[in-house]
Amino acid sequence: EDQVTQSPEALRLQEGESSSLNCSYTVSGLRGLFWYRQDPGKGPEFLFTLYSAGEEKEKERLKATLTKKESFLHITAPKPEDSATYLCAVQALNSGNTPLVFGKGTRLSVIA
Amino acid sequence: DAGVTQSPTHLIKTRGQQVTLRCSPKSGHDTVSWYQQALGQGPQFIFQYYEEEERQRGNFPDRFSGHQFPNYSSELNVNALLLGDSALYLCASSPRWGGYGYTFGSGTRLTVV
């Protein structure tokens, strides 16, 4: 069974204090690993897709990396507007359009 | 470019009632998936539709059913509502062959009292 575990559950940072969020996964074969940002009461907003170990992607203060067992979302010099829940999901390699399997998310609070 | 739109945004129902939620996919997407997200949890897959048929289903009871229309829009129906059905219901659209993740709507917040 495909599984995703995210840690920590919650993270509180001072503005400018860099940190990393972890996503550990088990999947029969990986089609893609996805990071989403979710604000309270809203739907997930797409951030990154990673397809193979060693791949890295960046967007503003965020950088996502991937190994064969886990992914990290690095946040450099965060700002209060980066406060949100960050969700990690995997899509298995299979015929057709397989559904995403999500972790429970990391709730990030950035304090000014 | 319109993204995924869902309606209504909020609703309150009584136990035992039935509810219908609606979703219009992003332009160019023909596949619609529904997810349930309980408070403090990640989204859980309910089912997926394309070509107006249910193609995949998660671990949800038959009280949860759906439909897809020729214009690719979709409905989620839940019968005999339970208190535990209270959640944010998310619709996500994608191209049929996937591999590019999903675009999510803002969700419908369902409260069962």
Side-chain angles (χ1 to χ4, degrees):
Chain A
E1 181 182 344
D2 302 335
Q3 282 191 317
V4 175
T5 303
Q6 292 188 246
S7 62
E9 291 185 6
L11 181 63
R12 185 182 174 97
L13 299 174
Q14 292 294 319
E15 184 173 3
E17 180 186 2
S18 302
S19 188
S20 296
L21 313 183
N22 178 263
C23 170
S24 297
Y25 66 92
T26 56
V27 64
S28 50
L30 182 68
R31 170 176 280 176
L33 184 140
F34 303 88
W35 283 98
Y36 286 87
R37 169 191 170 129
Q38 186 174 30
D39 293 306
K42 301 295 184 183
E45 175 188 348
F46 172 77
L47 293 173
F48 303 109
T49 307
L50 302 168
Y51 294 103
S52 58
E55 190 174 0
E56 299 182 352
K57 288 192 176 176
E58 290 188 64
K59 178 181 179 180
E60 296 180 358
R61 294 177 294 281
L62 300 177
K63 178 181 178 179
T65 62
L66 181 65
T67 73
K68 288 185 177 180
K69 293 185 178 181
E70 57 190 351
S71 176
F72 292 93
L73 184 66
H74 307 277
I75 303 177
T76 302
K79 298 181 177 181
E81 54 262 41
D82 295 323
S83 297
T85 295
Y86 290 85
L87 294 167
C88 173
V90 295
Q91 186 176 36
L93 186 63
N94 205 341
S95 61
N97 195 352
T98 54
L100 299 182
V101 176
F102 282 87
K104 293 184 178 181
T106 293
R107 190 171 64 255
L108 174 66
S109 298
V110 181
I111 311 303
Chain B
D1 179 24
V4 178
T5 57
Q6 292 187 243
S7 63
T9 55
H10 299 83
L11 73 166
I12 301 174
K13 290 287 188 177
T14 304
R15 277 179 297 175
Q17 284 189 315
Q18 180 264 344
V19 68
T20 297
L21 312 182
R22 295 176 176 82
C23 170
S24 292
K26 180 179 179 179
S27 178
H29 289 181
D30 59 1
T31 299
V32 173
S33 302
W34 287 91
Y35 288 77
Q36 179 195 65
Q37 186 176 24
L39 205 59
Q41 303 295 312
Q44 298 291 315
F45 174 70
I46 304 175
F47 43 55
Q48 180 186 82
Y49 278 83
Y50 67 85
E51 290 187 337
E52 302 178 46
E53 290 190 18
E54 182 181 301
R55 300 294 178 172
Q56 299 186 70
R57 189 177 182 94
N59 189 24
F60 279 80
D62 292 345
R63 298 186 297 108
F64 289 78
S65 64
H67 188 77
Q68 186 180 35
F69 300 92
N71 66 353
Y72 308 125
S73 66
S74 177
E75 289 182 349
L76 164 65
N77 301 293
V78 187
N79 294 322
L81 285 166
L82 305 174
L83 295 179
D85 295 331
S86 296
L88 181 67
Y89 287 85
L90 296 165
C91 172
S93 72
S94 65
R96 178 179 306 179
W97 304 113
Y100 307 104
Y102 295 77
T103 301
F104 284 84
S106 293
T108 294
R109 170 66 65 185
L110 172 65
T111 302
V112 182
V113 298

